Amino acid sequence: MHSKFGFLSYEISHIIRQRFNKAAEPTGFTHAQWRALVHLSENQNCRQIDLAEILEIKPITLVKQIDLLEEAGLVRRNKDSEDRRAYRLELLPKAHAVMQQLWEIADAVEAQVLKALAVEEQHTLNALLERIKTDINAKSSSEELLGSMVPP
Amino acid sequence: MHSKFGFLSYEISHIIRQRFNKAAEPTGFTHAQWRALVHLSENQNCRQIDLAEILEIKPITLVKQIDLLEEAGLVRRNKDSEDRRAYRLELLPKAHAVMQQLWEIADAVEAQVLKALAVEEQHTLNALLERIKTDINAKSSSEELLGSMVPP
DNA sequence: TAAATATAATAAGCAAGGGTCATTATATTT
DNA sequence: AAATATAATGACCCTTGCTTATTATATTTA
């Protein structure tokens, strides 16, 4: 029998995104922007390219999300004083209020989705997923390393 | 500390889809069509609306996937003899050959992604996700039931 | 130090996956 | 018979992400 981890993880995360987007609709923010906000708050004043790497999306994909967050007054692009090509992303005060609201939605959606599991099982699940994620990241950076050692 | 199950499951399934789509590119099928094929093979001769419900997508979204699978000669729409509005979806012989090839890709991608976990841990992970999925399905059908008992 | 190369942000335009709303042809209920 | 519900689908839109190319700087190399 084949494993269905791929389908399962996709289906569950799809449900989470759908429910989040629906519940967050009045705020005007989507799950993708929410993800950017959370990672930005954990890496304040980073450059766009850094945040893109953290989010594992291409810089051009992030540009549009930042545009939206900037229009909404949650984020400001500050010129990097040391590199005139780059911007530093600043999380504005308004962002914290919005994020509090979005965390409530995110937590509620997640609790609903995970309610079939005991708290201990939820920890196990998260720990297993964290290990998968860490391993993937480690592998891709060792590949990058390998790539840089074998120039074209 | 907030749980990040939503982000984790999204990120991992996104990686799986990306890798699958890349590896399956020569076959001309995407992960969404692959998912439809697998669920159809487990529910042969069902109607489009049934398959859409199984896949948790809207019927109109499925229409396009079935169009592609039909063009590729993997699926045939047969008129339902009891309901002239409906089609029954038949998996053609060619589908089985293609699916064998796609299972190899899917299994390889999954093995790569899950390789940080011991086989036993992989089983635990799948079992936990299955329980989440089952619980969500059970809840949504009881909601439907409830809905039908309280007409608008 | 001038020239080649790399990098940060971004514009233009595309793909995949999914959705809403409306339509047509049947079924089912009233 | 008339009203309502349902299966498939057409027209068109959204979200998230991508590739390729451009501009303005930085950095490296010859």
Side-chain angles (χ1 to χ4, degrees):
Chain A
M1 189 44 188
H2 303 279
S3 149
K4 294 209 176 149
F5 174 72
F7 291 157
L8 278 171
S9 57
Y10 172 69
E11 288 159 14
I12 293 170
S13 70
H14 185 221
I15 288 167
I16 290 175
R17 295 201 124 208
Q18 274 186 147
R19 292 187 182 178
F20 180 93
N21 284 340
K22 196 166 179 182
E25 222 197 307
T27 71
F29 301 102
T30 66
H31 193 270
Q33 283 138 247
W34 165 233
R35 195 162 86 91
L37 277 177
V38 170
H39 282 95
L40 177 54
S41 77
E42 291 171 358
N43 295 273
Q44 300 216 32
N45 269 63
C46 67
R47 298 171 308 162
Q48 286 185 209
I49 198 166
D50 300 325
L51 185 56
E53 201 187 336
I54 290 163
L55 294 170
E56 295 176 281
I57 59 179
K58 302 293 164 195
I60 185 63
T61 302
L62 183 60
V63 166
K64 299 162 200 167
Q65 303 291 352
I66 300 296
D67 285 349
L68 294 169
L69 294 174
E70 198 171 35
E71 276 169 39
L74 303 200
V75 166
R76 185 164 57 199
R77 284 172 165 104
N78 296 316
K79 289 266 180 202
D80 186 325
S81 54
E82 290 175 10
D83 186 338
R84 296 202 290 172
R85 295 168 305 182
Y87 291 113
R88 296 276 164 182
L89 299 173
E90 181 187 352
L91 214 55
L92 299 177
K94 188 178 169 190
H96 296 96
V98 172
M99 285 183 70
Q100 201 164 330
Q101 208 183 336
L102 293 176
W103 266 125
E104 274 170 37
I105 293 172
D107 286 344
V109 168
E110 208 155 292
Q112 193 62 33
V113 165
L114 294 177
K115 77 177 199 317
L117 305 187
V119 173
E120 204 182 296
E121 291 172 318
Q122 297 182 11
H123 290 329
T124 304
L125 176 58
N126 276 313
L128 292 172
L129 294 178
E130 286 279 12
R131 274 175 52 205
I132 293 173
K133 192 68 205 314
T134 305
D135 178 65
I136 291 172
N137 289 351
K139 208 195 72 185
S140 64
S141 35
S142 68
E143 266 167 13
E144 272 162 34
L145 201 62
L146 209 68
S148 69
M149 293 190 298
V150 186
Chain B
M1 188 44 188
H2 302 278
S3 149
K4 293 208 177 149
F5 174 72
F7 292 157
L8 276 171
S9 57
Y10 172 69
E11 288 160 14
I12 294 170
S13 70
H14 185 223
I15 287 168
I16 291 176
R17 296 200 123 203
Q18 274 186 148
R19 292 186 183 179
F20 180 94
N21 284 341
K22 197 168 179 181
E25 222 197 308
T27 71
F29 300 102
T30 66
H31 192 271
Q33 283 137 247
W34 165 234
R35 195 162 85 92
L37 277 177
V38 170
H39 282 97
L40 177 54
S41 76
E42 291 171 357
N43 295 274
Q44 299 216 31
N45 271 63
C46 68
R47 298 171 307 163
Q48 287 183 208
I49 198 166
D50 300 325
L51 185 55
E53 200 187 337
I54 291 163
L55 293 170
E56 295 176 280
I57 59 179
K58 301 293 163 194
I60 185 64
T61 303
L62 183 60
V63 166
K64 302 160 201 170
Q65 303 292 351
I66 300 296
D67 285 350
L68 295 169
L69 293 174
E70 197 170 37
E71 275 169 39
L74 304 200
V75 165
R76 186 164 56 201
R77 283 172 165 105
N78 296 315
K79 289 267 181 202
D80 186 325
S81 55
E82 290 178 8
D83 186 338
R84 297 203 291 174
R85 294 168 305 181
Y87 291 114
R88 294 276 164 183
L89 298 173
E90 181 186 352
L91 216 53
L92 299 177
K94 189 178 169 188
H96 297 96
V98 171
M99 284 183 72
Q100 203 164 328
Q101 208 184 336
L102 292 177
W103 267 124
E104 275 170 35
I105 293 171
D107 286 344
V109 167
E110 207 155 292
Q112 193 63 33
V113 165
L114 294 178
K115 76 177 200 315
L117 304 187
V119 173
E120 205 182 296
E121 291 173 319
Q122 296 182 12
H123 291 329
T124 304
L125 177 58
N126 277 313
L128 291 172
L129 294 178
E130 286 280 11
R131 274 176 50 206
I132 292 172
K133 192 68 205 313
T134 304
D135 178 64
I136 291 172
N137 289 351
K139 208 194 72 184
S140 64
S141 35
S142 68
E143 264 168 16
E144 273 161 33
L145 200 62
L146 209 67
S148 71
M149 291 189 300
V150 187

